[in-house]
Amino acid sequence: MEALFTSTLTVAVAEIGDKTQLLALLLAARFRNKSAIILGIFLSTLINHFAAAWLGQFAFGWLDPQWATYLIAASFFAIAIWVLVPDKMDDDDNRFYKLGAFAATFILFFIAEMGDKTQIATVVLAAKYDALSMVVLGTTLGMLIANVPVVLLGHFSADKLPMKLIHRLCALLFALLGIATLLY
């Protein structure tokens, strides 16, 4: 349950202000079918994070446990620093819009998550907890917790949230995960 809770909380917080959250806002403004957008986010994240978690467990399984611990902790510290740099949307890639709400969301979210901090966090969390299904479930749930309200309540702007404070708290969370990895 620790893997599920930590993965959910970590990704939900890290996702606030992330480019995929901005993408969710753009998709919600573009398409009326909110359930198709949410389903696209869910399936895209599930597949992407499953692959990331599997890679994390596979790659870290080859390392000496002590070196793996140091690498996992260093990864959490690196993500803590990365979180302090706010995301912005890349160019609006509207060629996928003609595919409809579900397909556009699925493709654009999958692409946006590649190399994103939440995907990297999924790799590291899976390596730390060795509980692939709980990490994937947690990171996917965290992604939905952060993005579904944006899709449903798109008119509530992220400008109203204290983004600097949220990014700092998220960085602190990742730093604490790094420290906990070294201590336990």
Side-chain angles (χ1 to χ4, degrees), residues 141-160:
L141 187 58
M143 186 69 81
L144 292 172
I145 288 169
N147 287 302
V148 168
V150 171
V151 172
L152 297 177
L153 306 169
H155 60 279
F156 181 74
S157 176
D159 307 357
K160 297 176 185 175

Side-chain angles (χ1 to χ4, degrees), residues 7-18 20-25 38 41 45 109 113 118 138-154 156 158 161 166:
S7 298
T8 302
L9 178 65
T10 301
V11 170
V13 173
E15 185 64 13
I16 297 173
D18 191 71
T20 46
Q21 192 175 51
L22 299 173
L23 176 60
L25 183 61
I38 293 167
I41 292 170
T45 301
F109 252 78
E113 268 299 290
T118 50
T139 58
T140 302
L141 187 58
M143 186 69 81
L144 292 172
I145 288 169
N147 287 302
V148 168
V150 171
V151 172
L152 297 177
L153 306 169
F156 181 74
L161 297 174
I166 291 169

Side-chain angles (χ1 to χ4, degrees), residues 88-147:
K88 60 180 186 259
M89 273 303 295
D90 298 332
D91 294 332
D92 186 20
D93 197 351
N94 59 14
R95 68 179 175 222
F96 295 109
Y97 289 169
K98 65 183 174 194
L99 300 173
F102 171 76
T105 302
F106 181 87
I107 293 167
L108 291 170
F109 252 78
F110 194 88
I111 292 168
E113 268 299 290
M114 297 304 287
D116 192 50
K117 63 184 160 262
T118 50
Q119 185 191 42
I120 303 300
T122 302
V123 170
V124 176
L125 287 162
K128 177 177 174 45
Y129 288 108
D130 194 29
L132 186 123
S133 60
M134 289 294 107
V135 169
V136 172
L137 180 62
T139 58
T140 302
L141 187 58
M143 186 69 81
L144 292 172
I145 288 169
N147 287 302

Side-chain angles (χ1 to χ4, degrees), residues 48-113:
N48 190 297
H49 286 197
F50 174 80
W54 179 85
L55 177 67
Q57 284 193 344
F58 176 77
F60 283 90
W62 289 90
L63 293 175
D64 173 82
Q66 186 173 8
W67 280 105
T69 298
Y70 293 141
L71 189 55
I72 291 167
S75 297
F76 279 131
F77 293 131
I79 295 170
I81 294 167
W82 187 5
V83 165
L84 294 174
V85 180
D87 276 336
K88 60 180 186 259
M89 273 303 295
D90 298 332
D91 294 332
D92 186 20
D93 197 351
N94 59 14
R95 68 179 175 222
F96 295 109
Y97 289 169
K98 65 183 174 194
L99 300 173
F102 171 76
T105 302
F106 181 87
I107 293 167
L108 291 170
F109 252 78
F110 194 88
I111 292 168
E113 268 299 290

Side-chain angles (χ1 to χ4, degrees), residues 27-44:
L27 290 164
R30 173 74 170 96
F31 296 107
R32 290 183 186 260
N33 189 347
K34 306 303 184 211
S35 58
I37 295 169
I38 293 167
L39 183 60
I41 292 170
F42 170 70
L43 290 176
S44 173

